[in-house]
Amino acid sequence: MRRFFIITFFLTVVASTFIYLHHRDNVIPIANLLQQKINGAHMKTYHDSTFGYIMRYPDFFVQLPDSLNPEPGCCTFRFWNVEQINLSGYVLGNPEQLTVQQMKDSLVHENHDVKIRTLADTLIISSPLYAEDGVVDGYRNYAKYVRHRKLWFVQSLSYPVECEDAVRRIKHQIDSWTVWENVIPQKCFIPKRRRQTFMYSHKSYS
């Protein structure tokens, strides 16, 4: 009888271990689930009322209240769970009418480990994410700058490094961003130029 219980106990342990390992091996990482959700999401269109630019974002991202974007022409769409992803649009003044090359030199000077591609009147950058107190560990920033007269139109994405594949669709739409898409830009004031620092906040808003 004792031998029977020992064998039964042993088989139970083996079965439990097998079930645990099977479950562990079949758990889908959060980044993979997020990639599926982004790839299958409907892309909504945001139209800025001040500068007339448009940008697209996944329909499950939440737009931050205008009160949290004090500067005209700014908007932010956010997804957060364990990690946080921000997709933002904003406008920078360019009273000195910096060329694309001059803007590139400025960004390289102000940020470390930055990769920049230039195309006509645009540049696309990839860099670590910066906050007021320095680099945000484990996060990246991806942005496109479009030069138009005395303005730079910017669309930027901040995301965790492990979500690189998950946000690929959003990065593609940033690459193809044409600001207005055949919409005539409105006349507007020239905003003050601010430091080219990629800001980040850990605070979430419901």
Side-chain angles (χ1 to χ4, degrees):
M1 180 67 67
R2 182 180 178 185
R3 186 176 181 180
F4 171 78
F5 281 115
I6 293 175
I7 294 174
T8 302
F9 175 77
F10 175 75
L11 292 175
T12 301
V13 171
V14 171
S16 299
T17 303
F18 174 78
I19 292 172
Y20 166 75
L21 292 175
H22 177 75
H23 175 72
R24 185 193 66 179
D25 292 340
N26 284 277
V27 171
I28 301 177
I30 292 177
N32 290 8
L33 292 174
L34 181 58
Q35 182 177 13
Q36 294 174 14
K37 191 170 180 64
I38 291 177
N39 288 346
H42 170 68
M43 299 295 279
K44 289 188 174 180
T45 300
Y46 169 81
H47 185 189
D48 177 70
S49 60
T50 303
F51 294 93
Y53 72 82
I54 70 170
M55 56 181 285
R56 293 187 172 84
Y57 62 97
D59 58 4
F60 62 93
F61 277 42
V62 177
Q63 182 175 2
L64 267 61
D66 291 342
S67 59
L68 299 177
N69 288 313
E71 297 183 27
C74 294
C75 65
T76 300
F77 302 91
R78 174 175 293 173
F79 168 82
W80 67 91
N81 190 344
V82 177
E83 306 290 359
Q84 182 172 298
I85 299 174
N86 287 334
L87 178 63
S88 302
Y90 54 93
V91 181
L92 299 174
N94 185 25
E96 304 93 346
Q97 299 194 48
L98 297 181
T99 65
V100 170
Q101 183 60 47
Q102 290 171 329
M103 184 59 144
K104 177 181 177 179
D105 293 341
S106 174
L107 292 171
V108 170
H109 176 73
E110 295 179 359
N111 303 281
H112 302 288
D113 187 27
V114 60
K115 299 177 182 177
I116 302 181
R117 290 180 288 142
T118 58
L119 299 167
D121 285 333
T122 71
L123 54 86
I124 298 174
I125 73 166
S126 175
S127 74
L129 181 64
Y130 291 86
E132 293 180 351
D133 54 352
V135 175
V136 180
D137 291 336
Y139 276 77
R140 297 287 296 177
N141 184 82
Y142 189 82
K144 183 173 185 177
Y145 288 67
V146 181
R147 181 176 181 270
H148 179 74
R149 297 178 183 174
K150 294 185 178 182
L151 297 174
W152 286 98
F153 290 84
V154 186
Q155 186 175 168
S156 68
L157 174 71
S158 62
Y159 60 92
V161 173
E162 62 264 27
C163 293
E164 183 71 46
D165 290 335
V167 300
R168 197 173 302 279
R169 182 186 181 192
I170 301 177
K171 291 174 70 173
H172 284 329
Q173 75 88 15
I174 292 176
D175 289 343
S176 61
W177 186 48
T178 57
V179 183
W180 297 291
E181 295 191 4
N182 299 322
V183 176
I184 299 175
Q186 302 174 9
K187 291 183 178 180
C188 52
F189 67 94
I190 306 300
K192 295 180 180 179
R193 187 184 177 197
R194 57 184 178 184
R195 185 178 181 273
Q196 311 300 308
T197 302
F198 313 117
M199 303 304 295
Y200 171 82
S201 170
H202 286 283
K203 186 175 181 181
S204 297
Y205 302 89
S206 57

